[in-house]
């Protein structure tokens, strides 16, 4: 903000300043994208980082756009125009989501483990939380600019008043929207973190790993042998590449396990579609070894699970994992008497998905993911931060079941309970219950705050141009 204010007389210089910031930020926080191509794709390290820089140079255009537009507002409204920053920043993050389908590392996620900021997510989602972060940064920058410009430092009363003005929102978000659960639990969940290696799994080793899933589950089931409540075992997304419909051997293997232990199993599988393709699916098998529910992944990983290009270009481009068909239904999966919305892999990054699940009656959210291809890098904590926001936005717990970590139960306040260590074999037992059906402001109204910021930003820009045109006529 300080740098753009220094360059506010030049749109192009402010644009480039924002672009340099954006490229630096996204490269510095997403360098882990090079891990899979280097370690599993055989891509030379230098080429992997060149490709990364190409991608971050494109995404960096959004902070660049912010820089250019912000300079126009500063030029028209003076130093106090810096307080337009949170509105404009939020609007452009919203624009990034709708034009790229992705908002990874939006500034709000920096507050995933800060309960005060995080609580606002139930009221306005990541956009309100990000707005507050940028607001106080802008306020500080304003005082810094005034000091270096030789102006009198403003009285802090306005900032205090602004903070007090948000207290009703804080009350509504943190207290009124939080509905504590009763002590009556309906279902026991056993989460398995198998730590399956990412490559070079021979068939004999694959069978041993499959058996190890069952052994870990039975170890936990032994602790629940006197518990009459329904029991659900959840396997994560992993390189095991389970299938159900077309794999008779796996049907027999899993069916024998479910019958022997009187347990249901939720697992990730490749399931055939009507178009002779495959879905990346979550499949639930009951105590009799029969499939009773399936959710097909809606948000596939671009260039990992599908190619977001029209034919014939799409057929010419390779993908890292496979070329899956996009799911279309927001199917709810029954876990005993509890209804669950399933998020596969980076679907936990999409608040629109978890919101729709809750609108459809979900009592809990389940994330099944595998970040192992990206190594022991910041992706593990960044991905966890997304799941934390989904819990607070919806006032629903998130059962996070991963292959290599971080597995954990995330409660409605965003607290991660008993997180697992990364790259270790582990398991957890959780008890879940039906929700009271209440919906947060975010679930009811979605991205209303982002739309508000977009309208305000557009109004400021139009007013600035109108004012300039009026002055030119005079």
């Amino acid at each position: 903000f300080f740098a753009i204010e220094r360059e506010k007389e030049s749109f192009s210089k402010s644009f480039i300043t924002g672009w340099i910031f954006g490229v630096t930020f996204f490269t510095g926080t997403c360098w882990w994208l090079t891990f899979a191509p280097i370690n599993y794709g055989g891509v030379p390290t230098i080429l992997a980082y060149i490709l990364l820089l190409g991608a971050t140079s494109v995404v960096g255009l959004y902070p660049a756009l912010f820089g250019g537009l912000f300079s126009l507002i500063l030029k028209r409204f003076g130093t106090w125009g810096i307080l337009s920053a949170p509105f404009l920043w939020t609007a452009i993050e919203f624009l990034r989501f709708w034009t790229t389908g992705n908002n990874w590392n939006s500034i709000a996620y920096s507050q995933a483990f800060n309960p005060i900021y995080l609580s606002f997510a139930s009221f306005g989602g990541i956009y309100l939380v990000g707005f507050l972060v940028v607001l106080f940064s802008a306020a500080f920058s304003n005082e810094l600019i005034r000091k270096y410009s030789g102006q009198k430092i403003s009285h802090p009363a306005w900032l205090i008043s602004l903070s007090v003005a948000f207290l009703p929102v804080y009350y509504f978000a943190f207290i009124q929207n939080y509905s504590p659960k009763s002590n009556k639990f309906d279902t026991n969940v056993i989460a398995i973190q198998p730590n399956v290696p990412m490559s070079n799994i021979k068939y004999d080793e694959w069978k041993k790993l499959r058996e190890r899933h069952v052994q870990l589950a039975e170890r936990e089931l032994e602790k629940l042998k006197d518990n009459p409540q329904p029991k659900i075992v959840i396997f994560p997304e992993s390189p095991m590449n389970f299938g159900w419909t077309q794999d008779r051997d796996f049907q027999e293997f899993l069916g024998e396990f479910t019958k022997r232990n009187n347990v249901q199993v939720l697992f990730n599988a490749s399931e055939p579609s009507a178009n002779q393709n495959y879905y990346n699916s979550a499949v639930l098998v009951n105590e009799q070894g029969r499939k009773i529910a399936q959710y097909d992944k809606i948000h596939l990983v671009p260039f990992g699970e599908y190619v977001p290009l029209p034919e014939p270009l799409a057929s010419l481009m390779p993908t890292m994992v496979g070329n899956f068909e996009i799911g279309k239904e927001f199917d709810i999966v029954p876990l005993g008497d509890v209804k669950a919305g399933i998020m596969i892999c980076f679907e936990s990054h999409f608040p629109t998905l978890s919101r729709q699940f809750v609108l459809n009656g979900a009592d809990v959210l389940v994330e099944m993911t595998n970040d192992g291809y990206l190594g022991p890098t910041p992706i593990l904590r960044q991905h966890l931060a997304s799941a934390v926001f989904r819990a607070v936005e919806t006032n629903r717990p998130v059962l996070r079941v991963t292959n290599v970590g971080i597995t954990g139960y995330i409660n409605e306040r965003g607290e991660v309970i008993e997180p697992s260590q990364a790259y270790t074999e582990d398991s957890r037992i959780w008890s879940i219950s039906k929700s009271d059906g209440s919906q947060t402001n975010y679930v009811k109204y979605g991205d209303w705050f982002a739309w508000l910021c977009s309208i305000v930003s557009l109004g400021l820009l139009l007013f600035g141009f109108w004012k300039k045109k009026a002055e030119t006529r005079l």
Side-chain angles (χ1 to χ4, degrees):
F1 294 167
F2 185 84
I4 292 172
E5 199 280 336
R6 300 291 90 181
E7 303 289 355
K8 66 178 181 291
E9 296 301 322
S10 170
F11 177 90
S12 60
K13 288 183 178 180
S14 298
F15 183 92
I16 293 171
T17 298
W19 182 75
I20 292 172
F21 165 80
V23 173
T24 303
F25 172 78
F26 288 114
T27 302
T29 60
C30 297
W31 61 267
W32 42 262
L33 285 168
T34 63
F35 190 92
I38 292 171
N39 290 276
Y40 303 108
V43 177
T45 300
I46 184 68
L47 178 58
Y49 277 94
I50 289 173
L51 293 171
L52 172 68
L53 191 59
T56 57
S57 295
V58 173
V59 184
L61 292 173
Y62 292 92
L65 179 61
F66 168 84
L69 296 178
F70 190 37
S71 70
L72 296 178
I73 294 176
L74 287 171
K75 188 159 53 175
R76 298 309 303 159
F77 296 100
T79 303
W80 285 100
I82 200 169
L83 296 180
S84 68
F87 294 97
L88 186 59
W89 184 279
T90 302
I92 290 178
E93 280 199 341
F94 193 42
L95 176 67
R96 175 158 71 96
F97 177 75
W98 282 108
T99 54
T100 69
N102 194 296
N103 231 342
W104 194 271
N105 279 359
S106 291
I107 200 163
Y109 290 110
S110 66
Q111 305 303 309
F113 308 103
N114 180 337
I116 301 300
Y117 273 101
L118 180 61
S119 62
F120 288 94
S122 68
F123 192 71
I126 61 170
Y127 299 106
L128 177 55
V129 176
F131 177 93
L132 294 175
V133 173
V134 178
L135 173 64
F136 286 99
S137 296
F140 177 81
S141 299
N142 179 63
E143 301 310 312
L144 186 67
I145 291 167
R146 292 171 70 86
K147 177 181 178 181
Y148 277 86
S149 302
Q151 303 177 49
K152 182 180 178 182
I153 302 299
S154 61
H155 196 276
W158 70 270
L159 185 56
I160 296 172
S161 300
L162 191 62
S163 301
V164 171
F166 269 93
L167 285 178
V169 179
Y170 175 74
Y171 169 80
F172 188 84
F174 190 62
I175 300 175
Q176 191 173 357
N177 266 325
Y178 175 67
S179 301
K181 296 288 186 291
S182 67
N183 292 324
K184 182 184 177 301
F185 295 109
D186 302 305
T187 305
N188 291 301
V189 171
I190 297 93
I192 304 301
Q193 180 176 302
N195 194 27
V196 173
M198 297 299 107
S199 62
N200 301 319
I201 304 177
K202 303 295 189 295
Y203 183 66
D204 288 342
E205 185 181 1
W206 183 88
K207 292 186 71 174
K208 291 178 181 177
L209 287 168
R210 184 177 70 174
E211 186 64 37
R212 187 57 182 158
H213 280 63
V214 168
Q215 291 170 356
L216 288 169
E218 289 183 330
R219 183 184 70 185
E220 300 302 327
L221 286 167
E222 179 64 23
K223 301 173 184 177
L224 299 171
K225 62 182 180 180
D226 297 325
N227 191 317
Q229 295 170 336
K231 302 170 185 65
I232 314 290
V233 172
I234 303 179
F235 297 155
E237 178 190 47
S238 82
M240 294 299 288
N241 297 323
F242 292 132
W244 178 259
T245 301
Q246 297 177 339
D247 191 339
R248 291 292 302 170
D249 176 62
F250 185 68
Q251 288 182 26
E252 293 175 5
F253 171 82
L254 199 62
E256 193 277 330
F257 166 70
T258 60
K259 294 171 187 175
R260 183 175 73 245
N261 293 280
N262 191 34
V263 68
Q264 298 184 10
V265 180
L266 178 67
F267 60 96
N268 182 227
S270 296
E271 290 297 287
S273 71
N275 299 322
Q276 297 184 334
N277 201 344
Y278 288 88
Y279 292 113
N280 185 351
S281 305
V283 173
L284 180 66
V285 173
N286 69 8
E287 295 88 345
Q288 289 76 46
R290 295 196 304 270
K291 183 175 80 170
I292 59 173
Q294 177 176 326
Y295 163 73
D296 303 319
K297 187 175 181 180
I298 294 172
H299 295 285
L300 299 174
V301 179
F303 301 104
E305 297 173 322
Y306 85 113
V307 179
L309 295 173
E311 293 292 352
L313 290 176
S315 60
L316 298 175
M317 292 288 292
T319 57
M320 290 293 294
V321 179
N323 200 351
F324 292 99
E325 188 168 329
I326 297 173
K328 298 177 178 63
E329 302 295 331
F330 296 89
D331 295 305
I332 299 297
V333 174
L335 304 182
D337 293 330
V338 179
K339 297 178 181 179
I342 311 296
M343 304 178 293
I344 302 175
C345 192
F346 94 138
E347 284 194 309
S348 63
H349 178 61
F350 294 88
T352 49
L353 179 65
S354 53
R355 173 177 177 254
Q356 188 60 53
F357 282 142
V358 173
L359 287 173
N360 289 0
D363 301 303
V364 300
L365 301 170
V366 176
E367 179 186 7
M368 310 164 68
T369 190
N370 172 35
D371 293 330
Y373 286 109
L374 299 168
T377 66
I379 177 63
L380 299 178
R381 192 165 174 84
Q382 290 177 16
H383 201 174
L384 174 64
S386 292
V388 166
F389 265 86
R390 304 297 84 84
V392 177
E393 287 165 351
T394 60
N395 192 39
R396 299 293 189 273
V398 173
L399 315 182
R400 193 165 197 266
V401 187
T402 73
N403 177 36
V404 300
I406 302 170
T407 296
Y409 180 96
I410 306 171
N411 69 16
E412 298 88 338
R413 295 190 184 223
E415 299 165 334
V416 185
I417 299 171
E418 294 185 341
S420 67
Q421 294 295 313
Y423 288 91
T424 60
E425 187 180 83
D426 212 339
S427 55
R428 293 286 186 272
I429 298 176
W430 301 317
S431 295
I432 57 175
S433 62
K434 291 184 66 65
S435 69
D436 60 5
S438 63
Q439 297 178 353
T440 63
N441 188 80
Y442 180 76
V443 169
K444 291 176 182 176
Y445 306 112
D447 295 323
W448 66 274
F449 189 77
W451 283 110
L452 174 64
C453 288
S454 300
I455 294 169
V456 171
S457 298
L458 184 61
L460 286 170
L461 290 167
L462 290 175
F463 180 75
F465 281 118
W466 174 82
K467 183 179 178 184
K468 181 179 180 180
K469 187 176 182 180
E471 289 175 352
T472 301
R473 286 200 303 269
L474 290 174

